[in-house]
């Protein structure tokens, strides 16, 4: 029965063949003949119908479109990644410049502080001396009040 179907299919193919498709069908027949050496089914050597060629062509066109879309997508991702890298490089360059400026300013402030340090030490000494003088003044005030109280007691007698 398979041989009868193959014969009917071959007759249909021969009736519908056009000269433009002869080379494609010859190529398909050669491919089928090569495949038949691996396949033991007798239907493998039958001619390929034109619908199969149309379907194969359609499949290859759609596969080509798909692969082109994938390549375009990948290419656009690389362009985006390149832009991101450039932006990141610019940002880090700005941050590096800012940190260098801050370092210079910090060094200048440290130099100014070192230059002011002797004066700050003098202020601390003066504050300490004023504290001692204030304490002495309180003691002197306390002592003078005691003396005044004693003097009043002596005047009353």
């Amino acid at each position: 029965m398979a041989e009868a179907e193959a014969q009917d299919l071959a007759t249909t193919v021969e009736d519908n063949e056009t000269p433009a498709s002869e080379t494609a069908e010859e190529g398909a027949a050669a491919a089928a003949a090569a495949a038949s050496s691996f396949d033991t089914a007798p239907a493998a050597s039958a001619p390929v119908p034109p619908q199969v060629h149309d379907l194969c062509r359609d499949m290859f066109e759609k596969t080509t479109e798909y692969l082109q879309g994938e390549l375009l997508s990948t290419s656009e991702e690389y362009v985006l990644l390149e832009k991101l890298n450039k932006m990141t490089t610019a940002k880090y360059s700005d941050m590096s410049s800012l940190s260098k400026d801050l370092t210079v300013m910090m060094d200048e402030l440290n130099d100014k502080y070192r230059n002011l340090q002797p004066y700050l030490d003098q202020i601390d000494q003066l504050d300490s001396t004023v504290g001692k003088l204030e304490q002495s003044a309180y003691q002197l005030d306390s002592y003078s009040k005691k003396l005044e109280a004693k003097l009043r007691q002596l005047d009353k007698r």
Side-chain angles (χ1 to χ4, degrees):
M1 181 160 183
E3 288 180 21
E5 288 177 6
Q7 187 64 29
D8 289 340
L9 189 58
T11 306
T12 305
V13 169
E14 288 175 6
D15 292 341
N16 293 333
E17 273 188 354
T18 60
S21 64
E22 284 179 8
T23 56
E25 288 179 2
E26 288 173 0
S36 68
S37 65
F38 295 108
D39 193 11
T40 57
S45 63
V48 179
Q51 296 87 4
V52 172
H53 290 290
D54 291 339
L55 291 173
C56 284
R57 188 177 305 111
D58 187 45
M59 178 194 68
F60 283 120
E61 287 173 2
K62 289 182 179 180
T63 303
T64 300
E65 288 177 23
Y66 169 76
L67 291 175
Q68 286 175 344
E70 286 292 317
L71 290 174
L72 180 64
S73 170
T74 303
S75 175
E76 289 175 354
E77 287 176 0
Y78 279 121
V79 168
L80 178 63
L81 186 60
E82 182 180 6
K83 287 180 183 178
L84 287 173
N85 283 340
K86 286 180 181 178
M87 289 175 62
T88 303
T89 301
K91 185 69 171 179
Y92 278 116
S93 176
D94 291 345
M95 289 171 51
S96 174
S97 175
L98 180 64
S99 68
K100 287 177 183 177
D101 292 343
L102 288 174
T103 302
V104 168
M105 290 173 61
M106 187 178 71
D107 288 341
E108 289 174 1
L109 286 175
N110 283 337
D111 287 342
K112 288 178 182 179
Y113 181 76
R114 276 192 291 270
N115 291 336
L116 288 176
Q117 189 62 44
Y119 300 111
L120 295 173
D121 290 341
Q122 286 178 358
I123 291 171
D124 287 341
Q125 286 176 347
L126 187 60
D127 183 47
S128 174
T129 304
V130 167
K132 290 177 184 177
L133 184 60
E134 186 178 1
Q135 187 177 15
S136 295
Y138 285 130
Q139 287 176 354
L140 184 60
D141 186 45
S142 168
Y143 182 70
S144 67
K145 286 181 182 177
K146 287 180 185 178
L147 277 177
E148 186 180 346
K150 278 186 182 184
L151 230 143
R152 285 189 187 163
Q153 270 183 356
L154 287 176
D155 280 343
K156 289 184 182 180
R157 283 192 217 171

